[in-house]
Amino acid sequence: MSPGTKQSAPGVPAPRQTNQPDRAFIHAATISGLAEVEFGKLAAQKASGRAVKEFAEHMIRDHSAANDRLAALVRTVGIAPPDRLDEEHKAMHVRLQQSDGAQFDHAYIQGQIIEHQKAAQLLQYEIGSGENAELKDFASDILPTVLGHLRMAQAIAMEMAQQAQADVPPTDREKRK
């Protein structure tokens, strides 16, 4: 608990007084959600594969709804959430903008796997360590969706890897067999 936190009892934040772990969750979850929508919009425009475009549309729809729900919760606790991407996500956005075709699809999906793994860990942390019941409920409700997105991204990555392998011409040695 941060110094100066109003307490209802020793070590217990007063009602509607958000502790530091919950504040960190709000910050990280907000940035993650913003990034998912931004990257999804970019992928909806630039992706070359149908599965990647459909995945991007899922990200825009599902994460926009989660972002709206989180924003409503954050307003009730009186914290100003971030309203733009952090440096890490800005750099990833630039890398995605600079790629095209299959290279874009691969970079986007690999990034989505990593981002959804991080998001799942963040949600699990809030479920186990958060103190704000509404934020914990939010994390519990959103976790299955995030895990579903992770599985979707992994399946698309596997499909792309199999397709890339099928597109590789056989080597001279393989031709002699």
Side-chain angles (χ1 to χ4, degrees), residues 69 123 127 134-146:
R69 183 173 168 202
L123 294 166
I127 292 165
E134 292 167 322
L135 290 173
K136 289 174 77 158
D137 287 346
F138 168 80
S140 294
D141 291 347
I142 298 301
L143 181 58
T145 302
V146 168

Side-chain angles (χ1 to χ4, degrees), residues 144-157:
T145 302
V146 168
L147 291 173
H149 292 167
L150 176 58
R151 285 189 296 276
M152 288 170 61
Q154 289 168 329
I156 293 169

Side-chain angles (χ1 to χ4, degrees), residues 13-93:
R16 300 285 180 210
Q17 181 67 39
T18 308
N19 67 351
Q20 194 57 40
D22 286 340
R23 287 175 185 267
F25 170 76
I26 289 168
H27 181 81
T30 300
I31 289 175
S32 176
L34 290 172
E36 290 302 326
V37 174
E38 272 306 301
F39 298 162
K41 288 177 180 177
L42 186 60
Q45 296 171 358
K46 292 189 73 163
S48 61
R50 184 183 55 73
V52 177
K53 282 186 182 278
E54 288 174 2
F55 179 80
E57 291 167 6
H58 276 284
M59 297 308 98
I60 295 166
R61 184 183 61 246
D62 293 351
H63 285 280
S64 291
N67 291 350
D68 291 346
R69 183 173 168 202
L70 181 59
L73 284 173
V74 170
R75 280 193 295 275
T76 67
V77 296
I79 295 174
D83 59 355
R84 63 180 74 86
L85 300 180
D86 60 2
E87 294 306 314
E88 175 187 354
H89 288 97
K90 284 179 189 175
M92 185 175 186
H93 194 267

Side-chain angles (χ1 to χ4, degrees), residues 81-159:
D83 59 355
R84 63 180 74 86
L85 300 180
D86 60 2
E87 294 306 314
E88 175 187 354
H89 288 97
K90 284 179 189 175
M92 185 175 186
H93 194 267
V94 168
R95 283 192 304 272
L96 288 172
Q97 284 179 313
Q98 294 172 345
S99 61
D100 288 308
Q103 181 187 20
F104 175 88
D105 290 0
H106 178 75
Y108 173 68
I109 291 298
Q110 290 305 313
Q112 288 300 295
I113 290 170
I114 292 167
E115 286 300 311
H116 282 86
Q117 288 170 335
K118 288 179 183 178
Q121 288 177 334
L122 178 66
L123 294 166
Q124 289 169 338
Y125 172 79
E126 179 62 22
I127 292 165
S129 300
E131 289 188 6
N132 181 300
E134 292 167 322
L135 290 173
K136 289 174 77 158
D137 287 346
F138 168 80
S140 294
D141 291 347
I142 298 301
L143 181 58
T145 302
V146 168
L147 291 173
H149 292 167
L150 176 58
R151 285 189 296 276
M152 288 170 61
Q154 289 168 329
I156 293 169
M158 176 126 13
E159 206 174 280

